Amino acid sequence: MQGLLYFYIKTCAFMINYTPQNQLNLKLFEHPFDTQLDTKNRWVKLATLIPWDELAAVYSRNLKGDSGRLTVDIRIVIAAIIIKHKLRLDDRGTILMIKENIYLQYFCGLKNFTTKEVFDPSLFVDIRKRLGGEEFDKFNKLVIDKSESIKPHQARIKRKPKPDKQDEGTIGNNNRGTLKVDATVADQEIRFPTDVNLLNTSRENLERIIDLLYIASSDGVKPRTYRRVARKKYLNFSMKRRKSNKVVRRGIKAQLQYIDRDMKIVKQLIVKPGKKELLTQRDKDLLQTIIKVYDQQKWMYDNKTHSCQERIVNIFQPWVRPIVRGKDKNKTEFGAKINASEVDGFCRIDKFSWEAFNESTNLQDQVENFKTVYGCYPRVLLGDKIFLTRENRKFLKEKEIEIYGKPLGRPPKNPTETPSQRYRKKKKAAQRNHVEGKFGQGKRGYGLNDIKARLPETSESWINAIIFVMNLTKLLQVAEKYTGFFVQFLNWFEIQFETFEKIFSKQFLQTKPILLVNFA
């Protein structure tokens, strides 16, 4: 059949292109890798831009150099993190992609092509535990410094202050750049929480713990848990398309009663000698979480409310909290809330928390962090209305930082601004959308809205790694924009001009008093 198809295509269907499966031979497959690799490849370009030595110095601070086994090459570790989030791969897929791609092996710093795995995929968990928010923030600062060194002098925010302006003592003269601030939620990959689903999952795990604790030879007759009846009631509830408040309360009450029975059985069994050793640490922590979930759900059921302090929405990740955002798509999001700042396309996380917080309370720290990175205060700050509180406005006015927001108080009857001034203000304030675009890039392109880590510290590392990879992507764009003979000539000319200016100023200061004396 295959031969007839190939004969028909070759003889009759001239416009159809097809290669049969028996014509492919791996040994005869021609490849260009015996020649030089493409220097314009994106991984080759990115490898030349990344400050590997500085990144390795930050990473190695958490390692012990005088004990333990030999570590994996630090460049391979950092490169694997970049490849994973750049291509949105899982841990195993990242190692396989490096194993199959010669450009990725060059990016990792390998000297020759190999078909061996660079390290075991399970090592990613230890890497995420080792790289926290502080380490990735240092990574981002190094990337920002690299981008500032690539840009021409006039496009830089981080410049060396001139001696004459350094003695003036004014802040506003040295303010440069635009700081854009906003907050978002990085959603965890968890099941959408409902009260009945959460209680049903808790009940099923309690029944599993009872099975682990019960020993027929010593405990006698096994206590009744009515798990089949409870399961049937839950299925009847979940299969209803429309659930009224009365039906929901009835379902919650039933699951609470079954959990109460199971918890009494667990307490009776666990007090017996040798029973606690039958449970792993994970099951012990899970049991404490289920007890807290039962207390919260019972309190909300009795008080007829749907909110409580430190509400748990997932028993396997009890640190995740519901964050009310008021968006059209999702009014409530479940994950970590981050307060981020964006400058010229480069983002940094200024605050990371699993609890909801008011982002305006962190604005002054964000401004001071800007000064720490760039050496000056921003000239303009763009943020949402929530950031422009009375206290923050006073702080920004002291630092001579411009804001484009609606002033506090009642609007004047006779506005003094012209229509063109209002238009320019509105257009300048609209540049705040750049930080919104960064959030969209992270969520759509790099999975910032689908964090798959299972621990709080690894989730924080996952989120920071995405921001770091986004900054590397921007660094590549900056390098492609500002690399050229003309820009290099301008940089060289500026350096020569500054050197000449220093020499001339020294000579002028030395000769000026002599001229005055001779003239007198």
Side-chain angles (χ1 to χ4, degrees), residues 135-150:
E135 286 75 17
F136 274 110
D137 188 57
K138 294 176 182 177
F139 283 3
N140 291 326
K141 289 179 181 178
L142 292 172
V143 173
I144 292 172
D145 292 342
K146 182 67 176 180
S147 69
E148 291 292 307
S149 64
I150 294 174

Side-chain angles (χ1 to χ4, degrees), residues 209-216 219-223 269 275 278:
I209 291 174
I210 291 173
D211 294 339
L212 292 174
L213 294 175
Y214 173 74
I215 301 175
D219 296 329
V221 180
K222 188 175 184 179
L269 293 174
K275 291 292 185 179
L278 298 176

Side-chain angles (χ1 to χ4, degrees), residues 341-388:
S341 57
E342 188 264 344
V343 181
D344 289 345
F346 293 91
C347 287
R348 291 177 62 242
I349 296 178
D350 297 295
K351 186 173 182 179
F352 180 96
S353 176
W354 293 102
E355 301 288 343
F357 62 89
N358 190 335
E359 49 263 36
S360 65
T361 58
N362 197 44
L363 179 66
Q364 298 182 17
D365 294 335
Q366 290 179 291
V367 174
E368 295 297 337
N369 290 339
F370 180 94
K371 184 181 180 183
T372 303
V373 176
Y374 293 98
C376 63
Y377 286 109
R379 185 177 61 85
V380 179
L381 185 136
L382 301 176
D384 210 350
K385 293 180 180 179
I386 193 172
F387 289 95
L388 302 180

Side-chain angles (χ1 to χ4, degrees), residues 233-244 247-248 250:
K233 286 187 177 182
Y234 168 73
L235 292 177
N236 291 335
F237 170 83
S238 61
M239 286 188 294
K240 290 182 179 180
R241 298 183 63 182
R242 295 184 179 179
K243 304 175 182 65
S244 62
V247 173
V248 172
R250 190 182 300 142

Side-chain angles (χ1 to χ4, degrees), residues 309-428:
Q309 293 292 331
E310 299 182 356
R311 183 179 178 182
I312 297 174
V313 295
N314 188 280
I315 63 173
F316 303 107
Q317 300 183 40
W319 51 84
V320 179
R321 298 285 181 264
I323 308 293
V324 179
R325 299 287 292 159
K327 305 292 184 180
D328 293 335
K329 185 178 180 181
N330 295 323
K331 293 185 178 180
T332 304
E333 297 174 319
F334 306 93
K337 187 173 182 179
I338 57 175
N339 200 4
S341 57
E342 188 264 344
V343 181
D344 289 345
F346 293 91
C347 287
R348 291 177 62 242
I349 296 178
D350 297 295
K351 186 173 182 179
F352 180 96
S353 176
W354 293 102
E355 301 288 343
F357 62 89
N358 190 335
E359 49 263 36
S360 65
T361 58
N362 197 44
L363 179 66
Q364 298 182 17
D365 294 335
Q366 290 179 291
V367 174
E368 295 297 337
N369 290 339
F370 180 94
K371 184 181 180 183
T372 303
V373 176
Y374 293 98
C376 63
Y377 286 109
R379 185 177 61 85
V380 179
L381 185 136
L382 301 176
D384 210 350
K385 293 180 180 179
I386 193 172
F387 289 95
L388 302 180
T389 60
R390 193 178 302 274
E391 183 181 356
N392 289 339
R393 287 173 185 263
K394 182 180 178 181
F395 171 78
L396 296 174
K397 187 177 181 180
E398 292 175 356
K399 304 301 180 183
E400 299 186 14
I401 301 174
E402 300 178 14
I403 56 174
Y404 293 92
K406 189 176 180 181
L408 298 176
R410 184 179 298 177
K413 293 183 178 180
N414 300 320
T416 58
E417 292 182 346
T418 62
S420 61
Q421 289 176 342
R422 289 197 297 269
Y423 173 76
R424 285 195 296 269
K425 256 189 178 180
K426 187 177 180 181
K427 190 174 181 181
K428 188 71 177 178

